[in-house]
Amino acid sequence: MKVKKYTAPSMPEAMKKIRGELGESAVILNSKVIYTGGVLGLFKKKNIEVIAAVDPVSKQEKREKRSKNYQNKPEEKAAPSVMKKEPKVDDGSSPLQLKKEISELKSIVQQLKINNGFEHYPVNIRHLLLFLKDQEVDERYIHEAGEHLMSLCEGEDALSAPELNAAVSRLMMSKLEILPFGGTSYKKKYVNVIGPTGVGKTTTLAKMAAEAVLEKRKKIAFITTDTYRIAAIEQLKTYAQLLNVPFEVVYKLADFQKAIEKFSDYDVVFIDTAGRNFREEKYVQDLAKMIDFENDMETFLVLSMTAKEKDLNEIINNFSTIPIEKFIFSKIDETSSYGTMYNIIRSREKGAAYITAGQNVPEDISEASPKGIVDLVMEGKEK
């Protein structure tokens, strides 16, 4: 097995050197950032040090196969030219040792395939980055974390797994802390919850209302515009009866204005909307005709964590004409990966108000926070 060390300003340049000398069958065994030169610790030059090796698997397998073929045909005479090409172990290694090395290289090659773009990171960092990928964190944020960890390891001993986990958590939280988080502000009189069908809007609204009544001691009322589903009306009506608060169903803009006037002396009015298909532009237009989103209104968009990230982004785009205060992430108890929440908050530069899990009112709701989101993403990562 031929092993060589290469140094280059970047990984692509190092790979170019490796392919030029060792060929396409070469594999990377290790890589790290090193610094050379400089004066009194300043002006050091950053380089990538890579250890690579040639994978002898294919040649050796051909030799063994050819040798077995001749052993199984004793009555045939092998041509002299073929006899000269019998494999010889000329590096002092035993066949058993060589097979062990081949097996190890196969394992390395397989692992590199699994690493899928993270092979230039040290093993301890790579392990954490693969965990983030399994949590469906966007690769641009994974590489951001990887480079951050590499900078922390410069000139230092390798960080332990708990130290790496803590460093990534701090980085992720710092990216979220610049955005608004937390539940209903109670600075605006009307609280509106929108979103596609099936995300749990009505239940979420009831949880928010229960918090307002039981914890904040607010005088509240309900309005629903969801006249498409009788079950939804009955559901919200039941919640209103349990909380002992008034409830109005509106069918058109005139009804909405009357309900607003009726509840003029209330602290907060919670508004439930119809779900419908989020791909229908008419649905969003109908909402805008029915509700004045600009007038003293705090609007939350509910997103289910059981949906694909692509679909969630399409939902957000479809509601882009409506001023959305924050996101609410529902059904987090029905998934095991939470990177999508982090991706959406980062890419949309919009914070989250609540996280909901389950159907219990008012228990299964909690205010969202940068730490809470990151803790969910990092949940399950061994210390």
Side-chain angles (χ1 to χ4, degrees):
M1 179 172 58
K2 186 177 182 181
V3 180
K4 292 197 68 175
K5 183 187 294 183
Y6 296 86
T7 303
S10 65
M11 180 57 73
E13 292 182 53
M15 292 300 295
K16 186 176 180 181
K17 286 185 179 181
I18 293 168
R19 290 193 183 98
E21 289 191 26
L22 301 183
E24 295 295 330
S25 61
V27 294
I28 297 172
L29 302 182
N30 191 27
S31 66
K32 64 180 179 180
V33 175
I34 61 172
Y35 289 85
T36 58
V39 179
L40 298 177
L42 301 174
F43 308 108
K44 289 184 178 181
K45 186 178 180 182
K46 182 178 178 180
N47 284 290
I48 302 291
E49 183 183 273
V50 182
I51 298 175
V54 176
D55 181 2
V57 174
S58 58
K59 291 183 179 178
Q60 180 63 21
E61 285 180 343
K62 288 179 180 178
R63 290 173 180 171
E64 291 178 354
K65 183 177 179 181
R66 191 161 51 227
S67 177
K68 287 179 181 179
N69 286 341
Y70 285 116
Q71 290 173 3
N72 293 334
K73 298 178 181 179
E75 62 273 6
E76 293 181 6
K77 275 190 177 180
S81 59
V82 175
M83 295 299 291
K84 290 179 182 180
K85 294 182 180 180
E86 287 185 12
K88 293 182 180 180
V89 179
D90 55 8
D91 62 351
S93 300
S94 67
L96 186 61
Q97 178 64 26
L98 193 56
K99 286 183 178 181
K100 182 180 178 182
E101 291 176 351
I102 291 170
S103 177
E104 290 174 352
L105 281 172
K106 282 182 176 180
S107 177
I108 292 170
V109 171
Q110 183 61 32
Q111 186 61 43
L112 287 175
K113 290 178 181 177
I114 296 172
N115 288 342
N116 192 23
F118 305 126
E119 64 272 5
H120 61 284
Y121 293 104
V123 174
N124 56 341
I125 293 178
R126 189 188 314 155
H127 183 66
L128 176 52
L129 300 186
L130 288 171
F131 171 81
L132 293 178
K133 183 176 181 180
D134 186 59
Q135 277 291 309
E136 298 183 8
V137 175
D138 192 290
E139 286 204 9
R140 56 184 160 167
Y141 304 136
I142 297 178
H143 284 291
E144 176 184 69
E147 294 305 315
H148 176 68
L149 294 178
M150 292 288 279
S151 69
L152 296 179
C153 296
E154 291 172 1
E156 303 289 339
D157 294 332
L159 297 178
S160 65
E163 289 172 330
L164 291 174
N165 296 345
V168 166
S169 293
R170 286 194 298 271
L171 173 69
M172 295 175 73
M173 280 192 286
S174 72
K175 302 298 182 180
L176 301 185
E177 286 170 346
I178 60 176
L179 300 170
F181 275 79
T184 309
S185 67
Y186 298 106
K187 293 179 180 179
K188 296 182 179 180
K189 181 170 182 175
Y190 305 102
V191 175
N192 183 36
V193 174
I194 62 175
T197 184
V199 297
K201 291 191 304 301
T202 304
T203 304
T204 299
L205 191 75
K207 292 174 182 178
M208 295 165 66
E211 176 191 58
V213 172
L214 302 176
E215 296 182 21
K216 306 297 182 180
R217 303 299 178 184
K218 298 291 184 181
K219 183 181 179 181
I220 76 160
F222 280 123
I223 292 176
T224 181
T225 66
D226 190 356
T227 58
Y228 296 93
R229 295 182 304 129
I230 295 176
I233 296 175
E234 291 301 317
Q235 183 183 13
L236 194 60
K237 185 177 180 179
T238 300
Y239 289 136
Q241 291 171 344
L242 290 172
L243 294 172
N244 194 28
V245 299
F247 167 77
E248 287 290 324
V249 181
V250 301
Y251 296 88
K252 54 184 182 294
L253 183 58
D255 295 336
F256 185 78
Q257 294 299 334
K258 288 180 181 178
I260 293 298
E261 291 173 10
K262 181 178 180 179
F263 298 138
S264 60
D265 62 339
Y266 282 72
D267 298 324
V268 186
V269 177
F270 288 90
I271 303 170
D272 191 22
T273 61
R276 311 285 294 279
N277 188 333
F278 69 86
R279 292 186 175 87
E280 293 180 11
E281 291 184 11
K282 187 177 181 299
Y283 164 49
V284 179
Q285 294 169 358
D286 289 344
L287 276 178
K289 291 176 182 177
M290 177 75 72
I291 301 172
D292 183 2
F293 289 97
E294 304 291 344
N295 183 25
D296 204 17
M297 184 81 67
E298 191 170 21
T299 302
F300 301 99
L301 176 59
V302 183
L303 301 171
S304 170
M305 286 300 92
T306 59
K308 296 178 182 177
E309 186 170 341
K310 180 181 177 182
D311 290 336
L312 294 179
N313 278 304
E314 191 175 345
I315 291 168
I316 297 169
N317 291 338
N318 199 56
F319 284 103
S320 61
T321 56
I322 295 175
I324 296 167
E325 192 77 21
K326 298 168 191 167
F327 297 124
I328 294 176
F329 295 106
S330 66
K331 302 187 179 183
I332 67 164
D333 56 317
E334 297 180 26
T335 183
S336 59
S337 59
Y338 307 101
T340 297
M341 282 192 292
Y342 180 79
N343 298 340
I344 288 175
I345 293 170
R346 283 284 307 268
S347 64
R348 298 290 175 164
E349 297 183 343
K350 193 177 296 293
Y354 295 100
I355 294 174
T356 72
Q359 297 295 314
N360 294 324
V361 178
E363 294 88 351
D364 297 336
I365 187 170
S366 59
E367 286 195 13
S369 67
K371 185 178 185 303
I373 297 292
V374 173
D375 284 349
L376 280 171
V377 175
M378 297 298 290
E379 189 177 77
K381 183 70 183 73
E382 62 268 25
K383 305 299 182 185

